[in-house]
């Protein structure tokens, strides 16, 4: 099933979620040289599309994004 319609509000929501969930540890990840981040969502977090998290330049799952 393909998505044939994009929602305009998705990117700002992804950025807000990134700031809340990854932002607090982003500097630590960079300082320690961690290249891979494993996310094991628990409870209702399993419904969160982590691939949609965006730091303003890249999606969290983007392979070229540093440090993750």
């Amino acid at each position: 099933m393909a998505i044939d319609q994009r929602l305009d509000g998705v990117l700002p929501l992804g950025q807000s979620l990134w700031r809340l969930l990854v932002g607090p540890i982003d500097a630590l990840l960079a300082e320690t040289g961690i290249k891979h981040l494993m996310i094991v969502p628990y409870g209702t977090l399993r419904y969160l599309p982590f691939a949609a998290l965006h730091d303003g330049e890249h999606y969290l799952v983007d392979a070229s994004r540093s440090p993750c």
Side-chain angles (χ1 to χ4, degrees), residues 35-65:
K35 301 289 183 208
H36 303 282
L37 180 64
M38 180 181 285
I39 298 172
V40 182
Y42 178 76
T44 56
L45 283 178
R46 68 178 178 228
Y47 299 111
L48 182 67
F50 285 92
L53 272 63
H54 196 275
D55 69 358
E57 295 182 21
H58 304 97
Y59 287 97
L60 181 63
V61 296
D62 187 354
S64 65
R65 184 187 181 282

Side-chain angles (χ1 to χ4, degrees), residues 18-39:
W18 188 92
R19 280 191 301 273
L20 289 169
L21 299 173
V22 181
I25 62 167
D26 192 44
L28 179 63
L29 295 172
E31 289 172 15
T32 56
I34 293 175
K35 301 289 183 208
H36 303 282
L37 180 64
M38 180 181 285
I39 298 172

